[in-house]
Amino acid sequence: MTDPTPTETETSMTPEEAPVPVVRKQGVEAIRDALKTIPYSPGVYRMLSEKGEVLYVGKALSLKKRVSSYTRIAQLPERLRRMVSMTVSMEIVITRTEADALLLEANYIKRMKPRFNILLRDDKSYPWLMLTENHEFPQLTKQRGKPVKGATYWGPFASAWAVNQTLNLVQKTFLLRSCSDAVLKSRTRPCLLFQIKRCSAPCVDRISKENYSELVVQARQFLSGKNTELQQELAVEMERASAAMEYERAAAIRDRIRGFSSIQNSGTINPTSIQDADIVAIWQDAGQTCIQVFFIRGSRNNGNRAFYPVHAEEETPADVLSAFLLQFYDNKPPPPVILVNQEISEQKLVEEALSIKREQKVEIACPQRGEKKSVVDHAALNAREALERKLAENTGQRKLLEGVAKVFNLPETPQRIETYDNSHIMGQAPYGVMVVGGPEGFEKRSYRKYAIKGPVTPGDDFGMMREVMERRFGKNREDGDRPEDWPDLLLIDGGLGQFNAVRNVLADLGVTGIPIVAIAKGPDRDAGREWFFTETQSPFQLPPRDPVLYYLQRLRDEAHRFAITTHRAGRSKGLRKSELDDVPGIGGARKKALLNHFGSAKTVRQASLEELETAPGISSGTARAIYGHFHPEWLRTQS
């Protein structure tokens, strides 16, 4: 997306101050008040709630005309009426064109995640194939993140598996190195990749610079989609080598030609009539949507991925697909062609916006016949099957949640279950964690880690759990309001003691209405014999093969897994920390010099001032600072 130009302005539209007492306008009145200063220019508007939450982001060719439509409340659907009723203020950004506004709208939606917009939850980066150009033996490898200068890229690929498949096949065909420059310099004999014929071993001069450069040119041709020309050239070259009785070289070229067939037949979709395009197909059922995206580059299938945008049930496929395309390409360059299985809303405007993003023309087409239609139909079939699987999984998950509600006498089916656990070793590196489960399964974006600050007596699990509960529920409350991200059920890994500790903390915080369940391991810690403790029921066990028991065990085990991995990571970080890290003026180089000279941080601490002054790389002033840090009584006598 292009950055806003210096002529663009961002104006916060807030109601004028009224005489005391202040009456804050809300709903239609707030929008009418904002309209007094909203211009007719193209741009983006944001609707804000009383707490400052962004409710909705929209774009308009004329901001004033578009925003004024929200004041005709009787003509709005129920969902938008509710949105208007929650609005207390508006913010706008003026842009040069409607296409610029469309790009800015998509960027805001991805960052702010307004509840009344169509949302694409896609935070993952995509892998690319990268060929370094600033080396006499260019390296072919996969890469994510920011582009590297002096490199050529091919992609994106839908997954690490997809890019690894292509990388392996290209290495096998063109024998380009994948090792780093440092490894290349340090090799004295060929590595295993040379032995299995996946590298030409330029590290030990098994191939000349000229021949390696020829392989690089051929690989670049192939990855750019010039397969037919390259195969013809290699076929001629193979005949020449055979005629000259250079049979070993002819066999190597033959193997390279065979490699093309492996690569070209490695994907489900390999359209010969499509060079560079994304195939995007949408399928809706039961108020939910799946969108399948196939990445076609150089007439090869670079893999596919399914997406499940969040939206209101009444949203049409055309609107969902249009919003998806803009948000999907917000952080990646669109291809020259996007093939869809149905027309989208404001297609010409979306094409214009994506063309700005690409800095070249982008065409969106809905093919009606031929190979392109077959490819789109195949993507739509994948979208339908993926959605059907997801709906079936959600149905099973919903039944489990209904079972949880029945077992614990909950008033409603829980939509958010938070499970807590602690991990430490004799009080060292203590952590508490929270994992979240709901209708969609484990919600890993909602997981939280709590580094225990204490003071907590080593082994005091109750004290650790109290701190976690205070940090989780003691903030973000106003006048007793219940935040939207609070759970419908708390599941604690522990017995009656943990249950009482959590219950007492919530009571002290004034938190009510959240059911608490503690799950304690049974005799001999056998799975299937767990005891459950609740506020309203006597301790009980579930039948060993009860599906609800299996689900609760999964929640408990996931919390335990997350706690263990979090603790291990924290403990490893602590082990890498040295006493010398706390000495002022001691950086990495001096720390290394001290450890090399004295052998350990403990020996440095015990060293005399004279010994420190004789250490290599340590000046007299630095030695005095180190000695004073470990001997504060000496430092006081020097001041």
Side-chain angles (χ1 to χ4, degrees):
M1 195 189 89
T2 56
D3 293 328
T5 64
T7 60
E8 295 172 3
T9 58
E10 183 163 349
T11 309
S12 178
M13 312 305 296
T14 57
E16 296 179 358
E17 293 185 5
V20 179
V22 175
V23 179
R24 192 164 193 183
K25 299 178 181 179
Q26 189 163 342
V28 173
E29 289 186 23
I31 295 174
R32 283 177 178 157
D33 203 48
L35 279 168
K36 296 175 183 177
T37 50
I38 290 181
Y40 286 94
S41 309
V44 174
Y45 60 92
R46 301 195 291 261
M47 309 181 91
L48 308 179
S49 71
E50 190 173 5
K51 295 183 179 179
E53 174 194 4
V54 179
L55 299 172
Y56 183 78
V57 175
K59 61 85 188 167
L61 178 60
S62 171
L63 284 168
K64 198 176 193 74
K65 290 182 180 180
R66 181 70 184 92
V67 173
S68 65
S69 67
Y70 293 105
T71 62
R72 298 186 284 275
I73 196 74
Q75 301 176 14
L76 299 176
E78 178 59 32
R79 183 176 65 91
L80 295 186
R81 289 182 194 175
R82 190 167 70 255
M83 178 187 73
V84 169
S85 70
M86 299 171 64
T87 301
V88 299
S89 63
M90 298 189 67
E91 295 176 347
I92 66 165
V93 178
I94 300 170
T95 59
R96 291 171 300 179
T97 65
E98 189 179 11
D100 287 336
L102 196 60
L103 290 172
L104 186 58
E105 176 197 39
N107 180 266
Y108 279 168
I109 291 172
K110 286 203 73 173
R111 287 198 292 114
M112 300 174 181
K113 297 178 173 54
R115 68 166 81 175
F116 288 97
N117 281 98
I118 298 169
L119 299 179
L120 168 63
R121 293 175 178 170
D122 174 35
D123 298 327
K124 295 182 179 179
S125 62
Y126 290 81
W128 295 68
L129 268 183
M130 179 182 75
L131 182 69
T132 58
E133 303 283 2
N134 54 356
H135 197 281
E136 58 184 358
F137 296 112
Q139 171 199 26
L140 182 68
T141 185
K142 62 181 178 182
Q143 197 257 350
R144 290 180 187 261
K146 294 182 179 180
V148 177
K149 286 186 177 181
T152 303
Y153 287 86
W154 290 273
F157 290 80
S159 63
W161 180 87
V163 72
N164 285 335
Q165 287 288 100
T166 302
L167 178 62
N168 292 340
L169 289 168
V170 172
Q171 285 176 339
K172 186 176 180 180
T173 305
F174 298 102
L175 308 179
L176 301 185
R177 72 176 177 100
S178 59
C179 60
S180 66
D181 293 349
V183 171
L184 181 75
K185 290 180 181 179
S186 63
R187 295 296 304 183
T188 57
R189 58 180 181 177
C191 66
L192 179 62
L193 289 178
F194 174 77
Q195 306 297 335
I196 62 175
K197 298 182 179 180
R198 291 252 307 266
C199 181
S200 52
C203 53
V204 289
D205 299 327
R206 293 297 179 95
I207 186 172
S208 67
K209 294 179 183 178
E210 293 74 17
N211 289 340
Y212 191 90
S213 297
E214 185 180 344
L215 293 178
V216 170
V217 171
Q218 292 175 357
R220 190 182 287 111
Q221 278 184 276
F222 174 75
L223 290 170
S224 299
K226 300 176 181 177
N227 307 346
T228 304
E229 303 168 19
L230 182 56
Q231 282 183 284
Q232 291 174 349
E233 292 175 7
L234 288 176
V236 172
E237 189 177 345
M238 181 179 67
E239 293 295 334
R240 289 175 181 169
S242 179
M245 292 188 289
E246 298 176 358
Y247 300 120
E248 198 170 312
R249 182 165 175 266
I253 298 172
R254 178 203 62 199
D255 292 342
R256 202 170 306 160
I257 294 173
R258 287 177 178 175
F260 290 141
S261 300
S262 298
I263 297 173
Q264 291 165 353
N265 295 328
S266 62
T268 307
I269 298 179
N270 291 290
T272 57
S273 61
I274 303 174
Q275 181 71 13
D276 294 309
D278 283 346
I279 315 300
V280 183
I282 185 171
W283 194 271
Q284 285 190 329
D285 191 11
Q288 297 191 44
T289 298
C290 176
I291 297 177
Q292 279 278 355
V293 180
F294 283 79
F295 301 96
I296 307 299
R297 299 295 184 271
S299 298
R300 292 181 311 279
N301 177 19
N302 283 356
N304 63 293
R305 181 177 287 185
F307 301 89
Y308 303 92
V310 179
H311 59 83
E313 288 190 13
E314 62 267 21
E315 296 285 4
T316 65
D319 289 339
V320 174
L321 194 53
S322 178
F324 170 84
L325 292 176
L326 290 162
Q327 293 179 47
F328 181 69
Y329 293 112
D330 176 65
N331 60 352
K332 62 183 73 66
V337 177
I338 301 172
L339 299 180
V340 295
N341 65 326
Q342 75 154 64
E343 302 292 340
I344 69 170
S345 300
E346 299 182 299
Q347 178 169 325
K348 293 299 181 184
L349 183 60
V350 174
E351 286 180 333
E352 182 183 352
L354 295 180
S355 297
I356 293 173
K357 179 79 175 174
R358 178 179 168 79
E359 299 181 352
Q360 293 181 26
K361 183 180 178 181
V362 173
E363 177 189 1
I364 299 175
C366 181
Q368 302 300 315
R369 63 183 65 86
E371 184 184 41
K372 293 180 179 178
K373 178 67 163 57
S374 299
V375 167
V376 168
D377 288 344
H378 181 86
L381 177 63
N382 276 264
R384 189 187 77 179
E385 292 179 348
L387 183 58
E388 288 174 349
R389 288 193 299 270
K390 183 176 177 63
L391 290 173
E393 291 170 2
N394 289 351
T395 299
Q397 188 75 9
R398 187 168 59 251
K399 289 181 179 179
L400 287 174
L401 293 173
E402 290 171 354
V404 170
K406 184 177 180 181
V407 165
F408 298 120
N409 297 326
L410 304 181
E412 296 179 348
T413 302
Q415 300 300 304
R416 181 183 174 98
I417 300 177
E418 293 183 359
T419 309
Y420 292 85
D421 194 11
N422 299 324
S423 184
H424 63 94
I425 294 181
M426 298 299 293
Q428 298 298 311
Y431 280 88
V433 300
M434 173 187 81
V435 303
V436 180
E440 303 292 327
F442 290 120
E443 300 176 9
K444 296 195 175 182
R445 289 195 182 105
S446 300
Y447 286 15
R448 294 293 180 268
K449 308 173 184 177
Y450 298 92
I452 303 300
K453 300 175 181 177
V456 175
T457 304
D460 184 5
D461 287 344
F462 297 161
M464 294 174 63
M465 188 60 73
R466 277 196 297 272
E467 179 177 327
V468 171
M469 291 295 115
E470 288 170 354
R471 290 166 63 181
R472 171 66 178 98
F473 296 102
K475 299 180 180 180
N476 302 322
R477 284 191 298 150
E478 298 179 7
D479 302 325
D481 287 346
R482 176 190 171 103
E484 294 182 0
D485 67 342
W486 275 15
D488 302 307
L489 177 67
L490 274 183
L491 184 64
I492 308 299
D493 184 14
L496 184 59
Q498 289 282 28
F499 174 83
N500 288 330
V502 172
R503 181 178 58 179
N504 293 338
V505 171
L506 296 189
D508 292 341
L509 295 173
V511 176
T512 59
I514 300 180
I516 306 169
V517 174
I519 175 173
K521 297 180 177 66
D524 301 321
R525 306 177 72 86
D526 287 346
R529 303 177 67 187
E530 288 86 351
W531 283 91
F532 294 92
F533 300 86
T534 72
E535 182 77 33
T536 59
Q537 300 162 284
S538 299
F540 65 94
Q541 292 177 300
L542 290 173
R545 295 185 180 180
D546 191 324
V548 174
L549 174 61
Y550 288 148
Y551 177 60
L552 295 170
Q553 288 172 343
R554 283 176 55 211
L555 288 171
R556 187 265 318 275
D557 293 344
E558 174 67 2
H560 188 63
R561 179 203 64 78
F562 190 47
I564 290 293
T565 55
T566 301
H567 161 72
R568 285 175 178 168
R571 187 181 61 187
S572 298
K573 183 178 179 181
L575 291 174
R576 291 194 297 269
K577 185 174 175 61
S578 166
E579 292 180 87
L580 301 180
D581 293 331
D582 298 325
V583 181
I586 298 297
R590 284 175 175 170
K591 176 182 170 183
K592 184 177 180 180
L594 286 167
L595 292 174
N596 286 340
H597 183 72
F598 290 100
S600 69
K602 180 180 179 180
T603 309
V604 175
R605 173 162 45 84
Q606 296 173 342
S608 67
L609 178 59
E610 292 74 16
E611 290 172 327
L612 290 170
E613 288 176 334
T614 60
I618 305 299
S619 66
S620 176
T622 302
R624 293 171 67 85
I626 297 170
Y627 189 78
H629 176 78
F630 291 117
H631 302 83
E633 68 284 352
W634 174 85
L635 189 62
R636 284 193 294 269
T637 64
Q638 302 300 306
S639 58

